[in-house]
Amino acid sequence: MIKRVMIDRQGGPELMQLENAEISPPGPEEAQIEQTAIGLNYMDVYQRSGHYPLELPSSLGLEAAGRVVAVGESVSSEVSIGDRVVYGGVLGAYAERRNAPAARLVPIPDGISDEDAAAVMLKGMTVEYLLERTYKVGKGDSVLFWAASGGVGQIAGQWGKRLGARMIGVTAGPDNLALVKELGYDEALDRNSEDIADRVRDLTEGSGVPVVYDSVGKASFEASINSLATFGMFVSFGATTGPAPDISPHLLQVKGSLYFTRPTLANYVASRDDLLRSANRVFQMMEAGAIKVNIGQRFRLAEVAAAHASLEAGRTTGSTILIP
């Protein structure tokens, strides 16, 4: 028997139930993982709350690390019993043990802990595709990044600094402003007390930034689009305050021949080759000391409702992990 978290309807954190369940041997092309650390992501909130549809009843969680304890038929070169592995984007992570497609498992380098791997996998790969593929950030670029004190934002500040960019982070409150300045951001703006677009114009001598990374959505849309330079790119990759409004071609024209994109990690790591390339780039940055993972909170798996409530209320900083 194992413990796992399930929901039979979507809604608030209280709907998540920790239950006992049998686990079957891994099927063809699957591996069974004894999990040691589970990553918490805002996507989990979207799926639990109903923002994204799920076939119910459903498990939850997309990211975890652990050790392979069994493999099914046709698992050859991907993983072996005893390997330390991490995965992201495979529903069902909120469990002590689970079966997962072997092709989605990534070996963890010896110098990286299970907790750090679980805390960084999805967030790190998100930063990799945002800064190195959606818009290729280069030396000297001014970059505006929202939610700079969150898990993705903290990694982005360090990553952007490594690439030689001038990172401008948006957060809230003096403690978070100080924190992000320590994590690679050259400038830290307070969304509660400053006009973000005006401040960006001041910092860029009126020109604006070539790229905005916005995971906030509805509440930040106007400030983001008004912060962009001519030919700038608006990268909308989340919606914590609700979806951004529909974009008209006319608006992109009058704001300076802008580009607008709504990317998702799933497309950028759809093949195993792309998955390994992205994950190994994250590990490379960690091993080089370019990025450090800040695990701001740890909860037991039985405390998953409290973890979700803290994340939704904005009481978390950095990454949050669940301990099975």
Side-chain angles (χ1 to χ4, degrees), residues 31-39 41 59-68 79 84-108 114 117-123 125 265 269 272 275 279 283 324:
Q32 189 170 116
I33 310 154
E34 184 175 358
Q35 304 197 139
T36 53
I38 301 163
N41 295 279
S59 55
L60 285 172
L62 296 167
E63 170 182 47
R67 183 175 63 89
V68 175
V79 294
R84 294 169 59 240
V85 296
V86 63
Y87 63 87
V90 184
L91 190 65
Y94 290 1
E96 293 175 327
R97 186 180 290 212
R98 59 88 50 92
N99 297 320
R104 305 311 294 174
L105 304 179
V106 177
I108 303 173
D114 287 8
V120 79
M121 181 69 168
L122 281 177
K123 299 174 184 67
M125 291 195 302
L265 175 63
V269 296
R272 180 160 178 80
L275 170 68
F283 293 147

Side-chain angles (χ1 to χ4, degrees), residues 2-317:
I2 63 162
K3 292 189 182 298
R4 67 180 184 184
V5 173
M6 297 286 291
I7 57 171
D8 56 19
R9 59 191 175 97
Q10 291 174 290
E14 72 281 358
L15 296 178
M16 293 182 289
Q17 299 295 320
L18 185 66
E19 64 177 32
N20 293 318
E22 298 285 348
I23 183 168
S24 61
E29 301 182 350
E30 286 187 335
Q32 189 170 116
I33 310 154
E34 184 175 358
Q35 304 197 139
T36 53
I38 301 163
L40 182 68
N41 295 279
Y42 219 92
M43 181 70 76
D44 304 353
V45 172
Y46 291 152
Q47 292 180 327
R48 185 216 74 223
S49 66
H51 184 77
Y52 289 164
L54 284 178
E55 185 175 338
L56 298 171
S58 178
S59 55
L60 285 172
L62 296 167
E63 170 182 47
R67 183 175 63 89
V68 175
V69 293
V71 296
E73 295 179 4
S74 304
V75 175
S76 53
S77 60
E78 293 94 350
V79 294
S80 301
I81 292 175
D83 286 353
R84 294 169 59 240
V85 296
V86 63
Y87 63 87
V90 184
L91 190 65
Y94 290 1
E96 293 175 327
R97 186 180 290 212
R98 59 88 50 92
N99 297 320
R104 305 311 294 174
L105 304 179
V106 177
I108 303 173
D110 289 342
I112 295 173
S113 71
D114 287 8
E115 286 196 357
D116 282 353
V120 79
M121 181 69 168
L122 281 177
K123 299 174 184 67
M125 291 195 302
T126 297
V127 172
E128 182 274 328
Y129 89 77
L130 289 174
L131 271 62
E132 299 202 354
R133 288 190 281 168
T134 303
Y135 177 96
K136 192 169 180 59
V137 171
K139 186 175 182 180
D141 281 342
S142 291
V143 173
L144 182 65
F145 208 102
W146 286 83
S149 59
V152 172
Q154 289 193 14
I155 296 169
Q158 299 172 77
W159 199 300
K161 182 176 183 179
R162 184 71 166 195
L163 297 177
R166 180 193 188 191
M167 299 298 293
I168 304 170
V170 183
T171 184
D175 290 344
N176 284 334
L177 292 171
L179 173 66
V180 302
K181 290 291 289 289
E182 296 174 0
L183 292 169
Y185 287 95
D186 299 277
E187 307 289 344
L189 311 185
D190 192 331
R191 58 179 166 79
N192 289 337
S193 62
E194 299 183 88
D195 185 305
I196 300 303
D198 283 351
R199 288 285 288 121
V200 169
R201 295 287 172 182
D202 290 343
L203 292 169
T204 58
E205 299 180 346
S207 64
V209 294
V211 62
V212 171
Y213 295 101
D214 188 334
S215 62
V216 176
K218 181 178 180 180
S220 55
F221 174 79
E222 186 174 347
S224 288
I225 205 161
N226 289 331
S227 297
L228 283 164
T230 303
F231 310 125
M233 179 177 284
F234 190 137
V235 183
S236 174
F237 70 101
T240 57
T241 63
D246 292 340
I247 309 299
S248 72
H250 176 69
L251 180 64
L252 297 177
Q253 174 201 353
V254 299
K255 289 294 184 178
S257 299
L258 303 180
Y259 298 87
F260 182 91
T261 185
R262 180 60 171 92
T264 180
L265 175 63
N267 294 136
Y268 282 85
V269 296
S271 72
R272 180 160 178 80
D273 284 347
D274 284 340
L275 170 68
L276 292 175
R277 189 177 299 114
S278 183
N280 288 331
R281 176 67 171 141
V282 175
F283 293 147
Q284 179 188 44
M285 293 288 273
M286 294 174 72
E287 290 171 330
I291 59 172
K292 293 180 172 61
V293 182
N294 172 24
I295 300 175
Q297 302 77 215
R298 291 175 175 82
F299 293 85
R300 304 298 306 181
L301 185 58
E303 301 170 319
V304 65
H308 272 233
S310 294
L311 181 62
E312 286 184 278
R315 295 192 297 268
T316 62
T317 59

